[in-house]
Amino acid sequence: MTKRLEPDFRLGLTGAIVSYLSWGLMPIYWNLLEGAGSVEVIAHRILWSLLFIPLVMAVRGKLRSAWSDIKSIFTSPVTALLLATAACFAGLNWWINVIAVLSGHVVELGIGTFLTPLISVSCGVLFFHERLSRTKTAGVMLAMTGVLIMIVSFGHFPWISLGVSATWGIYGALKKKLMLDAWVSILLEGLMMMPVALGYVFWLSSIGENHFLPTVNPELSLCLAGTGIVASIPLIFFTIAAVNLPMNVLGFCQYISPILTLLLGILFFNERFGWGELFTLLFIWSGIAVFLLAEVHEHRKAH
């Protein structure tokens, strides 16, 4: 019988900080890929991840056990369908992250990532019939008020903010329903997306629009190849964090990412940040604060 390792708080905290710092700073890397199209970037991310992730799994001795899990999953059509749906939402979420940077909407992306935890909570209520206290419901409603302000003040439907939070929330709900090993799930999602990604890259080559040309543009080609490593490293450290940290600590650390993304949009990308954006965030932050206070109160009451 394998001895269960005790959680290592320091290791978990390091994993959480590294993963959320990486996700928060990711727009800088996507900006390096400005010469390529957003869909092409995602296609390369999928393909290069499928080289990197199995390598990490092999080093950790998880590849053999993963293969038996993969075979058992495909004996269940329902599980396979849920996994394919999760892969679609993951791919869509990645694309929104990239297109937000390439189209100059990093501030809107940052606002959306602040919304993500509360959207995930809403998915729990809708899909898993989880119950919220009145205080937590008030927190969610405050955040939704912020969304309404955003719709009015932006002068256009904030699809990047709502899209990035909704796709990740639904993706998380599907992963909760599946309850698969994190590594197996990530590998399977990549394998399911691989035919589309590979087909798209070959199609770009056939029409002369492929940007992965090491002899012509070595810098851009290297950045496209690096998407697999850059995208996988936060997932690896997040897995370490999830195993070793209490959920309340992990939940608190997740706000590192949207803070960094928002600051990047304002300071690095020089995007507009006016009263409309500020009022939106004040309502969202108030909703988060109310929700977290309710969580702390319920935790203390339970213990």
Side-chain angles (χ1 to χ4, degrees):
M1 184 176 177
T2 306
K3 185 180 179 181
R4 182 180 174 83
L5 297 175
E6 289 297 318
D8 186 328
F9 185 85
R10 286 187 179 181
L11 179 65
L13 189 60
T14 302
I17 291 170
V18 171
S19 62
Y20 286 118
L21 278 175
S22 301
W23 276 322
L25 296 172
M26 198 73 77
I28 295 174
Y29 192 84
W30 299 140
N31 191 53
L32 298 175
L33 297 159
E34 194 173 5
S38 56
V39 179
E40 183 179 9
V41 171
I42 297 307
H44 278 279
R45 172 179 174 161
I46 293 164
L47 296 174
W48 293 105
S49 294
L50 284 173
L51 291 178
F52 183 67
I53 289 174
L55 180 64
V56 175
M57 291 177 73
V59 170
R60 297 182 73 243
K62 292 181 69 73
L63 208 52
R64 184 174 293 180
S65 61
W67 176 242
S68 61
D69 289 339
I70 289 169
K71 287 191 292 185
S72 65
I73 286 165
F74 283 101
T75 59
S76 169
V78 174
T79 302
L81 180 61
L82 284 173
L83 193 60
T85 307
C88 290
F89 277 101
L92 189 56
N93 180 269
W94 301 343
W95 175 76
I96 294 171
N97 274 275
V98 174
I99 196 65
V101 177
L102 299 184
S103 63
H105 290 88
V106 179
V107 167
E108 193 174 328
L109 178 67
I111 293 172
T113 48
F114 271 115
L115 269 174
T116 301
L118 296 178
I119 294 291
S120 297
V121 168
S122 301
C123 286
V125 173
L126 290 172
F127 301 128
F128 297 99
H129 307 293
E130 295 175 359
R131 302 188 68 177
L132 296 181
S133 65
R134 289 181 180 179
T135 310
K136 286 184 175 180
T137 302
V140 173
M141 294 308 294
L142 276 169
M144 292 302 106
T145 304
V147 171
L148 291 175
I149 293 171
M150 182 165 51
I151 291 170
V152 173
S153 63
F154 280 22
H156 66 272
F157 186 75
W159 70 270
I160 287 174
S161 287
L162 297 180
V164 77
S165 54
T167 51
W168 193 253
I170 295 169
Y171 172 72
L174 288 166
K175 294 293 284 284
K176 183 181 172 85
K177 182 75 174 175
L178 285 162
M179 293 298 289
L180 297 174
D181 175 83
W183 287 96
V184 173
S185 181
I186 292 167
L187 179 61
L188 274 171
E189 287 162 21
L191 289 171
M192 286 182 161
M193 290 186 276
M194 182 182 69
V196 177
L198 201 58
Y200 186 77
V201 170
F202 276 119
W203 177 74
L204 287 178
S205 298
S206 70
I207 61 172
E209 295 292 331
N210 178 27
H211 292 91
F212 185 74
L213 301 167
T215 56
V216 178
N217 196 334
E219 293 85 5
L220 182 57
S221 298
L222 184 63
C223 286
L224 283 169
T227 54
I229 296 175
V230 169
S232 300
I233 284 173
L235 288 173
I236 293 167
F237 279 96
F238 178 77
T239 304
I240 293 169
V243 170
N244 289 284
L245 281 184
M247 286 304 293
N248 59 338
V249 178
L250 188 64
F252 184 77
C253 289
Q254 71 185 324
Y255 292 106
I256 295 171
S257 175
I259 289 169
L260 281 175
T261 301
L262 184 65
L263 289 175
L264 279 178
I266 299 168
L267 303 175
F268 184 82
F269 293 97
N270 298 312
E271 292 183 13
R272 176 184 177 275
F273 186 79
W275 288 108
E277 288 82 1
L278 180 59
F279 277 129
T280 294
L281 278 173
L282 285 174
F283 275 93
I284 293 172
W285 286 337
S286 299
I288 291 168
V290 169
F291 193 92
L292 289 177
L293 285 171
E295 186 71 32
V296 170
H297 177 72
E298 288 176 15
H299 180 76
R300 285 178 178 172
K301 196 174 179 181
H303 292 81

